[in-house]
Amino acid sequence: MNDFPNLFSPIKIGKTTVKNRIFMPPLSTNLADHGYVTDDLIQHYSSRAKGGVGLIITEVTTVEPVYTYLPGDMSICDDSYIEGWTKLVSAVHQYDTKILSQLFHPAFMAYPLPGTPQLIAPSNVGPYYAKSAPREVTIEELKVIVRQFGEAAYRFKKAGGDGVEIQAAHAHGLLGGFLTPLYNKRTDEYGGDINGRLKLTLEVIDEVRKTCGDDFIIDVRISGDEYSDGGLTLNEMIYVSKQLEKHGVDFIHVSGGNTIKRGSSMPAPGTSPAPHMHASEEIKKYVHIPVATVARINEPWIAEELIENGKCDICMIGRPNLCDKDFANKAKMGQVEDIRPCIGCGRCLTGIMFGKPIACTVNPSVQSDEIEEADVKKKVLVIGGGPAGMEVAYDCFKRGHEVVLCEKSNKLGGQLNIAAVPITKQEITKVVKYMRRRLEASTVQIRLNTEVTDEMLDNEFKDYEIVGTVGAIPKEIEAFKIFKQTMTADDILSGKAFPGRKIVIIGGGSVGCETADYLAPLINDLFPNNRDVTIIEQTPGLMNGEGGATKSQLTLRMMRKGVKIETNSQITSVDENTITYTKKGQEYVIDDADTLVFACGYDPVKMNNDRIHYIGDSDKVGNLRDAISAAYAYAINL
């Protein structure tokens, strides 16, 4: 019996029937070669098609040769690209999956490669993401661009493609920039009111329809609401949706937010599932074509509920399909617990702007989950049951090795059991459950409450490959432990220590900020029992090395809760009752704190044995993605 009958029912899009309601939205991969389709791209998309997705929308595909969005993104700006697209479309179609290309002009968001002319924009207004000051595009240039969209769509049709998506969401690129009042300040026929700002998008739609005919899908991606002062509102986008339908659009892809307000278009972990469903639900009431919603639809039950409850007709499921290429098939077969969980961390895209290929924290092998059996089978001892230990143990098992995993505590998970405690980090618990479930279903011998000794290494495990994944321990500043009550952030998050009400945290990295967020009152209402939390960070910013919506939302939450944030600050002395720090040459004394918390990094833990190969935090302190990737790399090379 299918647990998700609505999700796996077919849907008619224009003249095309799609086998289910799981559509994969655009996600940049950086896998193209100067815009051309590569074998890696074919593998990437065809594996998701094989995994059961009903329809795939490719990443950004530029329609003209002058402006590049990202160095590794796709293009279809002339006929030389058709051959590669034909191979890609054919690879996807063999699994009865439909494929659209997302047509895009980056305009003011173009990557400033050497030789790139001045960037263009709706107006001579420098949008947030512009790399340099743009100029206002002329009406004559717009006529050429409209024709280029139509020609690009026709090339995709010649390649066998099923249709195109027109990207007009998120104040993003040329069409999104024209549509939003935040960037379009024109007073000619392409500006002013909503009809003027929408004119360019409608011209593109008309050109594509004229060029490609009625049996070619056209979908438009919009922000149902930009959630921003001065931005597009839901009322405007209901009107826009009606106009799109009148111009022959076959379905509407309702996203939300924009590129200016971090976390609005790509929500941070821990935020509400399907945050744009209210917009899609309203728009759905006023049009007669299918409506999709997108963002944080990470589990099949959420998608089923959205469709059953009338919030949308289609669910765009992107990052979960990246995390597990078999997401759809596993859901259809009732194997929900076997779906590798997407935690919404956004690290899949953090390297994209720096030319790195798409990646995933939880899935170290985004392009292929296939692990080849080892030519020589070995015995492997894994010391430590954290994420690196669980990953390397399972991957070694998949390669045919005989594996024993020893964990000195009474449960698996290691540092993840602490990392899941702060606000918005709940989804990490799913990773622990998933990794443990895999191990328990394997032949890996799991020994809890077992601390490996030198004697064991010399005897029972003398002929084993030894992998050390025992993690790292929090740093503490010995001179500051004179204060009346000190503890580490890990002590607090693990429940080993309980802080007072007036807390100073040393360190404004991710751990320090998450701990402050965890301890601070949910509302800053000056209630007498509220904790008073101060972060002291010596660098100019918080969470250095982190970026995107997660960092933004955590910082905003701390500020709303009244957490005091002192950057560019250095603690100079501590005694039993006072904490002294300097900032911009000025000295400050905190004399009413009751707890000093160390959140100033970690030191790798190693055992005194030359046979041990260390991975994860035992080798080099990093994040979850670093640990899992290192474990996978070791296993496939063993």
Side-chain angles (χ1 to χ4, degrees):
M1 179 181 175
N2 185 355
D3 294 331
F4 310 107
N6 292 285
L7 189 58
F8 288 98
S9 63
I11 185 168
K12 192 78 174 291
I13 305 292
K15 297 185 177 181
T16 303
T17 299
V18 181
K19 64 183 178 182
N20 63 46
R21 313 294 181 98
I22 298 178
F23 288 16
M24 186 171 176
L27 284 170
S28 290
T29 65
N30 261 344
L31 295 175
D33 180 7
H34 295 85
Y36 288 93
V37 172
T38 61
D39 290 342
D40 284 341
L41 272 170
I42 294 172
Q43 169 72 21
H44 175 75
Y45 286 116
S46 64
S47 63
R48 272 73 198 172
K50 184 179 180 180
V53 171
L55 181 147
I56 291 171
I57 304 172
T58 72
E59 62 211 81
V60 162
T61 304
T62 53
V63 301
E64 56 82 53
V66 177
Y67 298 102
T68 299
Y69 178 56
L70 291 172
D73 266 331
M74 306 174 80
S75 182
I76 196 165
C77 65
D78 64 49
D79 288 355
S80 67
Y81 294 88
I82 295 176
E83 180 182 358
W85 279 103
T86 302
K87 293 177 182 177
L88 173 56
V89 169
S90 177
V92 168
H93 278 172
Q94 67 178 312
Y95 301 108
D96 191 28
T97 296
K98 308 305 179 185
I99 182 168
L100 312 185
S101 175
Q102 189 197 63
L103 300 187
F104 185 69
H105 190 303
F108 52 86
M109 300 182 75
Y111 197 87
L113 294 173
T116 301
Q118 184 178 9
L119 306 184
I120 59 174
S123 310
N124 57 349
V125 176
Y128 176 78
Y129 270 108
K131 308 295 192 301
S132 58
R135 65 171 177 82
E136 182 174 288
V137 63
T138 68
I139 290 178
E140 291 73 21
E141 288 172 317
L142 291 178
K143 292 177 180 177
V144 173
I145 290 170
V146 168
R147 187 183 74 246
Q148 288 172 328
F149 269 95
E151 292 170 347
Y154 185 66
R155 291 187 192 105
F156 189 61
K157 183 175 182 179
K158 286 179 69 175
D162 300 291
V164 293
E165 174 171 272
I166 308 300
Q167 160 67 330
H170 310 146
H172 187 67
L174 188 69
L175 301 184
F178 262 82
L179 191 55
T180 181
L182 292 168
Y183 290 163
N184 187 339
K185 309 298 179 181
R186 300 173 76 106
T187 57
D188 61 13
E189 60 192 287
Y190 290 97
D193 64 5
I194 188 64
N195 292 302
R197 300 197 310 273
L198 180 61
K199 179 176 171 61
L200 180 61
T201 297
L202 295 181
E203 288 181 352
V204 167
I205 293 165
D206 293 345
E207 182 71 14
V208 171
R209 183 61 75 205
K210 180 182 74 174
T211 305
C212 297
D214 292 336
D215 59 345
F216 190 72
I217 296 171
I218 300 176
D219 112 74
V220 179
R221 190 179 201 188
I222 61 171
S223 288
D225 190 325
E226 287 192 336
Y227 316 123
S228 302
D229 292 341
L232 291 164
T233 65
L234 178 56
N235 283 342
E236 289 174 299
M237 297 317 293
I238 291 171
Y239 175 78
V240 164
S241 298
K242 291 178 180 179
Q243 309 317 306
L244 296 177
E245 182 178 23
K246 288 178 182 178
H247 281 256
V249 167
D250 295 302
F251 79 93
I252 300 173
H253 177 178
V254 179
S255 184
N258 54 46
T259 53
I260 313 164
K261 188 175 181 180
R262 274 184 289 270
S264 61
S265 59
M266 186 176 170
T271 52
S272 172
H276 312 310
M277 66 178 176
H278 303 297
S280 63
E281 180 183 28
E282 283 301 305
I283 288 171
K284 187 175 174 338
K285 295 175 183 177
Y286 299 100
V287 297
H288 305 90
I289 54 178
V291 174
T293 191
V294 68
R296 286 192 56 75
I297 308 173
N298 290 356
E299 299 175 77
W301 72 266
I302 298 173
E304 177 71 15
E305 285 288 299
L306 289 169
I307 297 170
E308 182 176 339
N309 297 340
K311 306 296 184 182
C312 63
D313 302 294
I314 299 159
C315 288
M316 293 282 178
I317 302 178
R319 287 181 285 173
N321 271 305
L322 180 75
C323 187
D324 192 329
K325 62 182 178 58
D326 295 312
F327 177 96
N329 282 341
K330 289 178 180 177
K332 187 175 183 179
M333 293 185 291
Q335 299 171 351
V336 172
E337 291 187 333
D338 293 328
I339 295 175
R340 182 186 277 108
C342 171
I343 59 175
C345 64
R347 290 191 184 277
C348 46
L349 301 178
T350 52
I352 291 293
M353 295 303 294
F354 305 102
K356 296 180 180 178
I358 197 163
C360 176
T361 289
V362 185
N363 182 357
S365 54
V366 169
Q367 299 314 309
S368 174
D369 289 338
E370 306 303 324
I371 297 179
E372 295 183 0
E373 192 168 321
D375 294 332
V376 178
K377 307 301 191 295
K378 298 182 178 182
K379 294 180 179 180
V380 182
L381 170 65
V382 178
I383 307 173
M390 289 191 288
E391 182 69 32
V392 76
Y394 182 77
D395 293 341
C396 285
F397 149 75
K398 291 286 285 183
R399 299 206 66 207
H401 300 302
E402 180 183 324
V403 186
V404 177
L405 184 154
C406 293
E407 163 58 41
K408 69 177 181 179
S409 73
N410 63 356
K411 62 181 178 180
L412 298 174
Q415 195 70 12
L416 294 186
N417 294 312
I418 297 174
V421 172
I423 291 170
T424 77
K425 301 297 287 295
Q426 166 67 18
E427 283 168 295
I428 288 178
T429 61
K430 300 175 187 176
V431 178
V432 178
K433 289 182 67 175
Y434 169 78
M435 297 182 84
R436 186 181 66 226
R437 177 181 168 82
R438 287 194 313 178
L439 282 177
E440 291 172 347
S442 74
T443 61
V444 173
Q445 185 183 144
I446 302 170
R447 301 185 189 178
L448 300 178
N449 299 303
T450 302
E451 185 167 2
V452 175
T453 64
D454 288 334
E455 181 181 0
M456 293 166 68
L457 294 179
D458 292 339
N459 293 287
E460 182 180 359
F461 300 113
K462 64 182 180 180
D463 57 348
Y464 279 64
E465 297 285 335
I466 313 296
V467 188
T469 69
V470 288
I473 57 173
K475 292 180 179 179
E476 298 180 76
I477 303 172
E478 286 298 322
F480 294 173
K481 293 174 74 172
I482 192 175
F483 192 72
K484 54 191 169 187
Q485 179 171 239
T486 66
M487 58 192 65
T488 68
D490 282 20
D491 290 335
I492 294 171
L493 298 176
S494 64
K496 294 178 181 177
F498 191 74
R501 294 289 166 185
K502 177 80 172 181
I503 300 162
V504 174
I505 298 175
I506 305 176
S510 295
V511 173
C513 290
E514 288 173 358
T515 304
D517 185 32
Y518 171 73
L519 293 173
L522 289 176
I523 52 174
N524 184 24
D525 59 358
L526 302 181
F527 197 74
N529 287 340
N530 286 353
R531 285 193 170 105
D532 184 316
V533 182
T534 300
I535 292 175
I536 297 180
E537 166 58 38
Q538 61 184 358
T539 70
L542 298 176
M543 294 170 273
N544 294 321
E546 298 291 335
T550 303
K551 177 178 179 176
S552 175
Q553 294 303 305
L554 175 52
T555 303
L556 289 171
R557 249 190 341 268
M558 290 192 296
M559 294 172 69
R560 286 196 301 269
K561 292 177 176 184
V563 173
K564 301 178 185 67
I565 299 170
E566 300 291 348
T567 55
N568 288 312
S569 301
Q570 179 76 45
I571 294 181
T572 54
S573 67
V574 172
D575 61 28
E576 185 179 359
N577 295 302
T578 64
I579 300 165
T580 303
Y581 70 96
T582 58
K583 181 173 184 175
K584 295 182 180 179
Q586 183 74 33
E587 186 173 87
Y588 300 88
V589 178
I590 300 174
D591 58 10
D592 57 349
D594 53 41
T595 308
L596 180 60
V597 178
F598 297 111
C600 37
Y602 294 82
D603 288 319
V605 174
K606 297 186 186 297
M607 298 171 63
N608 187 25
N609 193 300
D610 294 339
R611 291 174 54 205
I612 301 175
H613 181 94
Y614 292 99
I615 60 173
D617 284 350
S618 294
D619 176 45
K620 183 181 179 181
V621 176
N623 55 43
L624 176 57
R625 178 175 148 189
D626 296 330
I628 291 178
S629 295
Y632 177 80
Y634 176 84
I636 64 173
N637 288 298
L638 181 62

